Amino acid sequence: MDDQMYMREAIDQANKAEEINEVPIGAVIVFKDEIIATGYNVRETSQETLSHAELIAIKKANEKIGSWRLEDCTLYITLEPCPMCAGAIVQSRIKRVVFGAPDPKAGCAGTLMNLLGDERFNHQVEVTSGVLEKECGSLLTDFFKNLRGKKRQ
């Protein structure tokens, strides 16, 4: 698997979110070197708490595979997963998570805590961090900088 190639696909998803004024976070799920599901944040549009990129991609992957178990899948995310998404990742039995930028406010794949590797759960997830970190981080930094600029006008 080419982590950078799939992370670029996740960045494309994040750009779709930004196009509709959503926080630019994107996710891609890969199974046997094929993208089987994608997602991007739509929380502001949907006004639903569960509308995170990862959860949308997980739901699509469940439908594609026909199972709640995503054991041989890798999830690529532009931002480190939050507690809610980390819990869903563990519950879905995803094998590996690759993320771009760390999340100092809600990161649960190593920054604030590591729910994905907690041995008290019956499933642990392999984590690779920092893939295209600069590009992924810039998506968010630029988005919020522009948002603050609009509020001042």
Side-chain angles (χ1 to χ4, degrees):
M1 277 196 229
D2 183 345
D3 288 345
Q4 289 190 4
M5 179 184 77
Y6 291 123
M7 187 59 74
R8 290 190 197 292
E9 294 293 331
I11 289 170
D12 287 346
Q13 293 299 308
N15 288 329
K16 290 179 182 181
E18 186 170 24
E19 287 171 10
I20 59 170
N21 295 315
E22 290 281 350
V23 177
I25 300 168
V28 169
I29 296 180
V30 175
F31 176 68
K32 295 183 179 178
D33 293 327
E34 178 187 346
I35 295 173
I36 61 165
T38 61
Y40 55 87
N41 271 12
V42 292
R43 190 168 57 171
E44 294 302 323
T45 303
S46 70
Q47 288 298 301
E48 294 175 2
T49 305
L50 302 177
S51 295
H52 284 204
E54 301 95 310
L55 299 181
I56 292 166
I58 287 170
K59 183 176 185 204
K60 288 179 181 178
N62 293 147
E63 292 167 359
K64 175 84 174 178
I65 288 181
S67 174
W68 63 271
R69 293 178 183 267
L70 302 176
E71 293 170 325
D72 294 317
C73 294
T74 299
L75 172 61
Y76 291 85
I77 321 159
T78 56
L79 182 67
E80 181 179 5
C82 72
M84 174 178 68
C85 293
I89 291 164
V90 169
Q91 290 298 311
S92 68
R93 308 297 196 268
I94 287 174
K95 182 177 184 174
R96 181 171 177 245
V97 165
V98 178
F99 71 86
D103 185 349
K105 294 182 180 178
C108 285
T111 299
L112 295 180
M113 65 180 66
N114 188 356
L115 289 176
L116 300 182
D118 193 317
E119 293 183 3
R120 294 174 292 179
F121 294 122
N122 66 340
H123 177 75
Q124 289 79 44
V125 181
E126 179 187 335
V127 176
T128 302
S129 61
V131 175
L132 300 180
E133 181 176 345
K134 194 174 209 176
E135 293 91 327
C136 292
S138 292
L139 284 170
L140 293 158
T141 303
D142 294 348
F143 175 80
F144 286 112
K145 184 177 177 182
N146 291 336
L147 191 63
R148 285 190 296 275
K150 287 177 186 174
K151 287 182 179 178
R152 288 187 191 126
Q153 294 175 358

